[in-house]
Structures are given as C-alpha cells and as structure tokens.
C-alpha cells in the first residue's frame, strides 16, 4: 500500500515525508482494518514531523484524524463497509488508577494515533475496534476529518470550563479548535467574546457570530462566566483570568505553556475563580461532539491534498496558507 513515511524528523521545508510503498497492514486482535477515505492534518502532525516531539517509532506513518471504511476484521457494531472516525487517542491500558475510575483521558499509558502507532497518511490504517467512532451520514469524508481532533478537543475544553447554555464565554486565540467551538457555543445561545491576534482570525470570528472581537491586548467589555485559552502562552491565561466574574473558570487548552507569569492572587483568583487544564479526550467526548456536530450542521472549511502532497499539506499548515483545515485524500 502507499503511505507517507517519516524516516527521520526534519524541518518541513526539507520534505521529510517519503511517499513509499509499504507492506499491506494486517490487523491484530481487537483491531479493524480501514481503507482511509480522508485524513485531517493537525498542527501536532507538524510538531511530530519536525521533531519537536521525541521520536517514538521509526518509519512512522503520521495522521490522527482518520475517516475510514471497515474492510476487514469487522465487529457487530462496525460491519464491513461502515464508515468510522479515528482520533488522537488510539487506545488506553484500561488498568491504571485513572482508567479504573473513568478518567480515561488521563490514562498513564495511552496510545497515540499517528505517533506511538501508525496513522492515516496512507491508503489503509489499523485501529483498535473500541476506539473508532460512528460518523453521521450527513457529514462527508472531507468535512468530518478535521472534527476528529481539533473539534473534539475544543468541545472537551467547553466541558472542562463548565459552559452552560446562554453564558458569556471568552475564546482567547482563534485557530482550528476555536473556530469549531464557536459553532457549538452559538448553538447553545452563548455570547462569545473572542480575543485573538491576527486580522484574518478576528474577521473570521466576527463572521461566525462573535458578540465581541478584540486583539490579544483588549479586554472583553463584560465579566465572563467561562473562558478557554488556545495559545501556548501564560500571558494569555492571565488575561483570561482577569476577564472572569467571581466563580468563573478558565480552561487552558494547550499541551505546553511557555510559563505562567507571577500574578495577583487577590484580584485574579480570590472569589473562587478556577484555572484548569484540558488533557486529551474521552470516547464520550468524541461521540457526544460528533452527534452535536451533526445536529448543528457543523461544516469546517477544508482544503484537500492528495497523499503525494502530504509534505505540501504540512507546509500549508505551518504557513497558515490555507483557509480552514488541510485534509489528505489518499
Ligand atoms: Zn490507563
Ligand atoms: Zn491533533
């Protein structure tokens, strides 16, 4: 089968992915074999390909937003021909303290699709049968793919922040996750306050229905019930904290923060304000988000690339050169 293979990480301008013929995959016990219909390109893929994340397997096939069709090892829930989604969390051990208590997003030994196991930049992929998700029929392959990481994580961030219908919610940063989360907030009749750098991001936020849009240095004009930060910057976390009412919550949607600057407890955290991080996702988050996306008719903006253009797709993501998400269609 044809796949985009990472022999050794390097800057994307060096085109580190090799489009190669590799042996056809054989699904193991508990796995389904999928024909890949589309695979979304996430910024995390860029971090893996460029070596910002340590190498976990050599000869890696990246890609963790897979829309696939079951072609072998079907299950009762997913017969041959069913269309399913695969996300970043490819499996858990099921045995650690967290798994046994239902906190599977915090598992001590998770599997990451397209990082610790091969992913979807290929004609075929294998996935754990208990970690694939049914996809709504109304969502076509191209538009379903970008929902499978950015969409689910953004949705989880809203949950971690404890957003309720009709509340005032701040989004600090407006990239792939936030532009999907705002659609969910609109459907929940929330007032959305977007603080972000970049004219194009501000225009997009306004066009998607934000009540207020400002730059990263502007403070929302009202006290917020909830806020979600998307930038890897502790300054942004403090700005979000400073915009909350008493009892409000900031959810930090970042794998890495530069640092959190010293801040004034009395004015920023006193009053039972909370700061929480958002880590990975659960299968319930995935299923609930995909159902919500179907109900509200969520359609992300996408640009399609062939498998041969996998490097070019990552270059486009790196340079913010396309409107919306990049999707590889093998
Ligand atoms: Zn576990
Ligand atoms: Zn991702």
């Amino acid at each position: 089968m044809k796949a985009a293979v990472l022999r050794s990480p390097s800057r994307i301008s060096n085109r580190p992915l090799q489009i190669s013929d590799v042996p056809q995959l054989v699904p193991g016990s508990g796995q389904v074999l999928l024909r890949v219909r589309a695979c979304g390109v996430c910024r995390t893929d860029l971090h893996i390909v460029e070596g910002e994340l340590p190498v976990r397997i050599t000869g890696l096939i990246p890609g963790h937003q897979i829309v696939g069709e079951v072609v072998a090892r079907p299950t009762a829930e997913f017969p041959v021909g069913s269309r399913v989604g695969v996300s970043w969390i490819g499996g858990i051990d099921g045995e650690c303290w967290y798994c046994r208590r239902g906190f599977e997003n915090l598992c001590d030994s998770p599997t990451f699709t397209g990082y610790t196991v091969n992913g979807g930049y290929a004609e075929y992929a294998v996935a754990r049968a208990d970690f694939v998700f049914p996809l709504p029929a109304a969502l076509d392959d191209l538009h379903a793919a970008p929902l499978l990481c950015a969409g689910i994580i953004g949705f989880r961030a809203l949950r971690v922040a404890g957003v309720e219908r009709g509340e005032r919610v701040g989004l600090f940063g407006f990239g792939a996750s936030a532009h999907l989360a705002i659609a969910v907030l609109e459907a929940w009749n929330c007032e959305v306050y977007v603080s972000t750098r970049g004219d194009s991001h501000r225009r997009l936020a306004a066009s998607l229905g934000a009540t207020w849009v400002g730059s990263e240095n502007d403070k929302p004009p009202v006290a917020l019930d909830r806020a979600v930060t998307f930038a890897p910057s502790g300054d942004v976390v403090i700005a979000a904290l400073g915009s909350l009412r008493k009892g409000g919550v900031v959810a930090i949607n970042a794998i890495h923060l530069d640092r959190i600057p010293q801040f004034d407890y009395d004015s920023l955290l006193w009053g039972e304000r909370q700061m929480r991080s958002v880590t990975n996702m659960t299968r319930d988050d995935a299923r609930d988000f995909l159902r919500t996306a179907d109900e509200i008719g969520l359609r992300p903006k996408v640009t399609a690339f062939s498998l041969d253009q996998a490097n070019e797709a990552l270059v486009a993501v790196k340079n913010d050169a396309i409107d919306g998400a990049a999707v590889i269609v093998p």
Side-chain angles (χ1 to χ4, degrees):
M1 68 169 194
K2 196 157 91 171
V5 181
L6 181 67
R7 304 284 174 207
S8 80
S10 173
R11 293 179 68 83
I12 193 62
S13 52
N14 298 326
R15 305 290 191 272
L17 290 173
Q18 293 175 6
I19 315 305
S20 329
D21 264 317
V22 300
Q24 177 63 311
L25 301 169
V26 180
S29 155
Q31 293 181 321
V32 288
L33 178 65
L34 304 174
R35 185 175 69 77
V36 178
R37 297 169 61 119
C39 185
V41 177
C42 177
R43 196 162 278 273
T44 303
D45 300 341
L46 185 64
H47 297 323
I48 292 167
V49 168
E50 294 202 313
E52 286 177 81
L53 293 176
V55 173
R56 299 285 294 269
I57 57 175
T58 49
L60 172 72
I61 302 171
H64 60 266
Q65 304 186 90
I66 306 171
V67 176
E69 178 184 333
V70 176
V71 291
R73 296 283 185 98
T75 65
E77 188 183 3
F78 301 114
V80 166
S82 27
R83 204 172 61 116
V84 297
V86 183
S87 187
W88 174 239
I89 298 292
I92 52 170
D93 59 16
E95 292 170 357
C96 72
W97 191 94
Y98 300 97
C99 284
R100 282 188 278 116
R101 284 160 183 82
F103 305 119
E104 65 181 32
N105 60 306
L106 302 179
C107 177
D108 281 332
S109 330
T111 302
F112 296 118
T113 310
Y115 181 45
T116 65
V117 296
N118 284 328
Y121 289 12
E123 291 176 317
Y124 293 88
V126 293
R128 257 176 69 165
D130 55 347
F131 276 81
V132 301
F133 309 106
L135 292 174
L139 266 173
D140 64 31
D141 301 336
L142 263 182
H143 294 91
L147 304 184
L148 289 165
C149 178
I152 297 168
I153 296 284
F155 184 71
R156 178 169 183 85
L158 301 183
R159 285 188 155 168
V160 169
V163 174
E164 294 184 20
R165 285 177 184 274
E167 287 191 321
R168 291 171 165 168
V169 181
L171 301 178
F172 289 76
F174 203 74
S177 254
H179 104 272
L180 296 172
I182 195 173
V184 176
L185 291 169
E186 292 293 321
W188 290 349
N189 294 318
C190 290
E191 285 178 15
V192 184
Y193 296 80
V194 175
S195 171
T196 187
R197 57 168 60 174
D199 272 341
S200 66
H201 285 171
R202 285 193 285 273
R203 274 196 301 274
L204 182 60
S207 76
L208 293 174
T211 301
W212 173 90
V213 180
S215 80
E216 70 270 33
N217 300 316
D218 296 333
K219 190 170 171 164
V222 296
L224 304 175
D225 301 302
R226 321 280 162 185
V228 181
T229 69
F230 296 93
S233 154
D235 291 330
V236 171
V237 172
I238 298 306
L241 206 50
S243 71
L244 290 182
R245 64 158 166 80
K246 284 180 279 190
V249 180
V250 174
I252 304 167
N253 190 351
I255 290 180
H256 163 77
L257 275 192
D258 48 2
R259 86 274 177 257
I260 295 193
Q262 193 171 43
F263 65 91
D264 181 56
Y265 170 81
D266 299 16
S267 60
L268 290 176
L269 205 56
W270 167 253
E272 301 199 344
R273 294 174 178 89
Q274 295 180 56
M275 240 191 317
R276 301 187 60 188
S277 65
V278 181
T279 302
N280 298 330
M281 47 164 268
T282 68
R283 283 171 282 182
D284 281 345
D285 294 327
R287 292 195 191 94
D288 294 347
F289 170 67
L290 290 167
R291 196 179 310 119
T292 302
D294 187 31
E295 285 164 8
I296 68 178
L298 189 52
R299 289 288 177 284
K301 287 188 176 168
V302 295
T303 302
F305 291 83
S306 69
L307 186 53
D308 291 328
Q309 298 171 304
N311 288 299
E312 285 69 28
L314 285 164
V315 168
V317 167
K318 181 164 190 174
N319 297 335
D320 279 326
I322 48 169
D323 225 8
V327 179
I328 290 173
V329 180

